[in-house]
Amino acid sequence: MLEIKNLHARIAEDGTPILNGVDLTVKPGEVAAIMGPNGSGKSTLSYVIAGRDDYEVTDGDILWNGESILEMDPAERAASGVFLAFQYPMEIPGVPTMEFLKTALNAQRTSRGDEPLKIPEMLKRVKAAAAELEMDLSMLKRPLNVGFSGGEKKRAEILQMKLLEPKLCVLDETDSGLDIDALKVVADGVNHLRSQDRAFLVITHYQRLLNHIVPDSVHVLYKGRVIRSGGKELALQLEDQGYAEIIGEAA
Ligand code: ADP
Ligand code: MG
Ligand code: MG
């Protein structure tokens, strides 16, 4: 279970406060959507959960299964099951996707004190996961993200998620949004990976992703605070009316 309590965070470089008291609880099995206007701190929240060092937490806490993760570095957080999707959108020329996945998976195993997987077992796992996601296996031979379409990049991320089996998946659609192909890949992937012991934080500016990933809860972030929480109907209301009314009521 993820418990974010009165979380305050600022930009490390210049001290600008971005998160101003976020309260949010996400239970195992839950898909929580974070919505909110541009600039409200959604992406910052995902980076602070992942432990990026360009942000400083100045107050509050992030508890993961009852324990604070604030002192953990990003790798330790990942090892404990926190996965920030879309965190490797960079192209890695010269490194085939399969090679990247092997490295990521064995790095995780080593950090947990498990033996690295031997190559045949690794190939078997990656191919099985790719087949379940109906991925074209030829993609595994191409350098990660180099020349990938939006949909192929998302597919590679969903594949990482499936292999690394995180317990908390944070997905940030970002403001530019996903094209229809990529949106469908993400939605199908998330729905495939939904389970009783895995929680999702799905961050989206638009409601359209939530037509495909039906959330259990919806939270509106504004000026670094959750100003409204509700069920999936809240997303539909926002689609209909925009953010102005909820922001006005919160003011
Ligand atoms: P959202 O994802 O909701 O659009 P962000 O978390 O990206 O919001 O940004 C919230 C605010 O903080 C914006 O005004 C943004 O410009 C600012 N901000 C976030 N991160 C940084 C950073 N590393 N440097 C400068 N400004 C930042
Ligand atoms: Mg933004
Ligand atoms: Mg954003």
Side-chain angles (χ1 to χ4, degrees):
M1 165 149 84
L2 175 73
E3 292 168 281
I4 299 175
K5 294 183 171 170
N6 189 35
L7 185 66
H8 288 68
R10 63 185 182 197
I11 298 169
E13 197 176 16
D14 61 8
T16 310
I18 307 292
L19 302 181
N20 301 302
V22 175
D23 285 297
L24 180 69
T25 298
V26 187
K27 298 194 183 74
E30 185 174 339
V31 175
I34 307 285
M35 301 185 73
N38 196 8
S40 56
K42 303 183 298 296
S43 294
T44 300
L45 178 63
S46 70
Y47 298 143
V48 171
I49 293 170
R52 259 175 59 163
D53 63 5
D54 11 9
Y55 301 94
E56 284 171 3
V57 172
T58 52
D59 201 0
D61 210 344
I62 304 173
L63 305 180
W64 177 232
N65 297 327
E67 308 227 357
S68 177
I69 63 169
L70 292 183
E71 298 303 317
M72 294 163 69
D73 66 30
E76 290 170 317
R77 295 184 199 202
S80 80
V82 176
F83 183 92
L84 181 63
F86 313 166
Q87 69 185 327
Y88 299 118
M90 73 277 203
E91 301 181 359
I92 313 190
V95 178
T97 299
M98 176 63 105
E99 210 56 46
F100 173 83
L101 293 170
K102 273 157 58 178
T103 306
L105 191 50
N106 272 340
Q108 182 195 50
R109 294 180 62 85
T110 308
S111 70
R112 286 176 176 172
D114 294 334
E115 288 285 303
L117 291 177
K118 300 226 162 57
I119 287 171
E121 174 61 21
M122 181 69 78
L123 290 176
K124 208 170 104 188
R125 285 199 196 189
V126 174
K127 283 182 179 168
E132 273 184 59
L133 294 171
E134 296 177 18
M135 278 181 46
D136 187 349
L137 292 181
S138 67
M139 204 183 98
L140 299 172
K141 294 183 188 153
R142 293 163 56 194
L144 183 66
N145 290 330
V146 179
F148 280 19
S149 69
E152 286 170 334
K153 284 183 183 169
K154 294 303 149 209
R155 229 177 265 281
E157 283 159 352
I158 297 289
L159 180 61
Q160 284 173 61
M161 224 191 271
K162 187 169 170 65
L163 285 166
L164 297 174
E165 302 184 315
K167 294 288 184 259
L168 173 67
C169 304
V170 183
L171 302 99
D172 187 352
E173 187 186 355
T174 74
D175 305 321
S176 57
L178 306 174
D179 62 33
I180 296 294
D181 179 31
L183 194 78
K184 205 171 164 331
V185 169
V186 169
D188 289 351
V190 167
N191 290 328
H192 176 89
L193 292 172
R194 271 176 112 144
S195 74
Q196 279 310 308
D197 63 349
R198 178 172 296 139
F200 288 87
L201 210 53
V202 177
I203 299 175
T204 178
H205 181 58
Y206 311 101
Q207 115 87 26
R208 55 181 196 151
L209 180 62
L210 305 178
N211 289 329
H212 304 279
I213 303 171
V214 179
D216 300 300
S217 60
V218 175
H219 310 270
V220 179
L221 195 67
Y222 180 65
K223 292 191 175 172
R225 272 197 199 91
V226 174
I227 59 166
R228 179 72 67 89
S229 293
K232 59 176 188 272
E233 68 288 344
L234 178 54
L236 296 172
Q237 183 194 331
L238 288 165
E239 165 91 332
D240 224 34
Q241 303 169 357
Y243 293 107
E245 195 172 315
I246 284 175
I247 289 169
E249 284 167 20

